[in-house]
């Protein structure tokens, strides 16, 4: 393994072709400079991924670890109904793995950044005798007062989820597509009242919308889109449980008025599945309804981070 040189890596990063916005001065000075676009609000988020906690080698590769670190941040921007603009990347690199490893991590980040028109605005590069840690801070934009919050759900709203749920932990969590384009396409069709990305599992993330909006919900168990990734050897009840509580799907969970919900159900504007799974109620708490009409409390069994 070659010894690791921080400046060499930064020079290499700068030499790579990347997205460049006209209102951003990127890598190379003491800070990046962003001229905020007129009539927009800035969305700021950051997420840190640690080898051993959020990915392991294998099944992750350095490229996929880098990719995931940016993808989870893009997913947060999507969940606010925004467009990603730029990102800052901080690395704690394991010294023993050398500079090719570091370049691979950055390559995974830069490829996904290009795909989502996100400029690498800067970062920090360190090496140590510990495992890989990647922190990404992201900046997105939304039209002034048009960001979508968790707090906007109202009784009578229909609840929708994109894609399919469950079974992500085997490998999908490294390769998922952040639903940035889907959020934009939905916003062009309907007024989204509340939204969140499903990172901890549907049962858990729905709670955030309910608590922030001060409402409840009834979810139809038959309507939950169970991913084909969930093993067919499990019982139906176990498969449903995984779809409700496995984390790291990064699908969008959102609410719209009943009238607009009907429109979405008649014509899905997305190229991925979109499922009406239930509705918002004035009565607090979340219920799971079976086809015979009986209900049970939707247990908040989502993924709990082990800290
Ligand atoms: P300083 O000592 O002023 O913090 P650095 O030597 O840490 O500067 O970084 C030099 C430049 O390279 C800065 O513009 C910084 O944002 C950028 N940079 C450092 N590491 C990364 C990285 N992993 N990805 C993108 N930009 C980086
Ligand atoms: Mg620095």
């Amino acid at each position: 393994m070659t010894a690791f040189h921080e400046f060499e890596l930064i020079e290499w990063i700068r030499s790579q072709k990347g997205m460049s916005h006209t209102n951003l001065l990127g890598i190379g000075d003491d800070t990046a400079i962003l001229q905020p676009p007129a009539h927009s609000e800035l969305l700021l988020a950051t997420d840190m991924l640690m080898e051993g906690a959020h990915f392991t080698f294998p099944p992750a590769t350095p490229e996929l670890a880098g990719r995931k670190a940016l993808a989870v941040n893009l997913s947060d921007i999507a969940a606010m109904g925004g467009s990603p603009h730029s990102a800052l990347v901080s690395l704690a690199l394991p010294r023993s793995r050398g500079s090719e490893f570091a370049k691979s991590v950055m390559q995974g980040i830069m490829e996904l950044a290009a795909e989502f028109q996100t400029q690498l605005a800067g970062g920090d590069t360190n090496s140590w005798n510990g495992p890989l840690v990647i922190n990404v801070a992201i900046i997105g934009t939304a039209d002034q007062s048009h960001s979508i919050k968790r707090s906007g759900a109202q009784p009578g709203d229909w609840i929708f989820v994109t894609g399919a749920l469950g079974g992500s932990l085997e490998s999908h969590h490294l390769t998922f597509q952040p639903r940035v384009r889907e959020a934009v396409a939905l916003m062009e069709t309907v007024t989204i009242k509340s939204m969140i990305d499903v990172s901890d599992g549907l049962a858990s993330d729905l709670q955030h919308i309910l608590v922030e909006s001060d409402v409840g919900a009834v979810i139809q168990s038959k309507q939950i889109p169970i991913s084909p990734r969930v093993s067919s050897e499990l019982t139906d009840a176990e498969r449903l449980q995984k779809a409700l509580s496995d984390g790291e799907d990064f699908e969008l969970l959102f609410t719209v008025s009943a009238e607009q919900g009907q429109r979405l159900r008649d014509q899905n504007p997305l190229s991925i599945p979109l499922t009406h799974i239930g509705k918002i109620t004035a009565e607090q708490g979340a219920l799971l309804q079976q086809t015979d009409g009986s209900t049970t409390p939707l247990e908040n069994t989502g993924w709990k981070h082990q800290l």
Side-chain angles (χ1 to χ4, degrees), residues 218-223 288-296:
V218 180
I219 299 297
Q220 303 299 326
S221 70
K222 266 280 171 299
Q223 299 304 320
L288 190 62
Q289 187 160 44
Q290 311 302 329
T291 39
D292 65 5
S294 64
T295 58
T296 49

Side-chain angles (χ1 to χ4, degrees), residues 31-74:
T31 76
I33 306 175
L34 170 61
Q35 292 286 341
H39 312 296
S40 60
E41 48 201 18
L42 297 180
L43 310 174
L44 315 174
T46 184
D47 250 313
M48 177 165 64
L49 261 54
M50 298 176 291
E51 178 181 350
H54 302 93
F55 58 86
T56 47
F57 300 118
T61 59
E63 286 87 352
L64 286 175
R67 183 194 187 280
K68 179 176 181 182
L70 178 60
V72 296
N73 281 278
L74 290 170

Side-chain angles (χ1 to χ4, degrees), residues 6-7 10 13 26-30 89 91 106 120-125:
E6 176 192 337
F7 291 127
I10 294 171
I13 294 169
I27 299 174
D29 216 312
D30 292 312
V89 174
L91 301 175
M106 288 307 302
L120 189 55
D124 196 25
T125 304

Side-chain angles (χ1 to χ4, degrees), residues 9-18 26-29 110:
L9 179 71
I10 294 171
E11 273 320 304
W12 176 83
I13 294 169
R14 288 187 78 179
S15 71
Q16 301 299 299
K17 224 171 87 247
I27 299 174
D29 216 312
M110 289 187 289

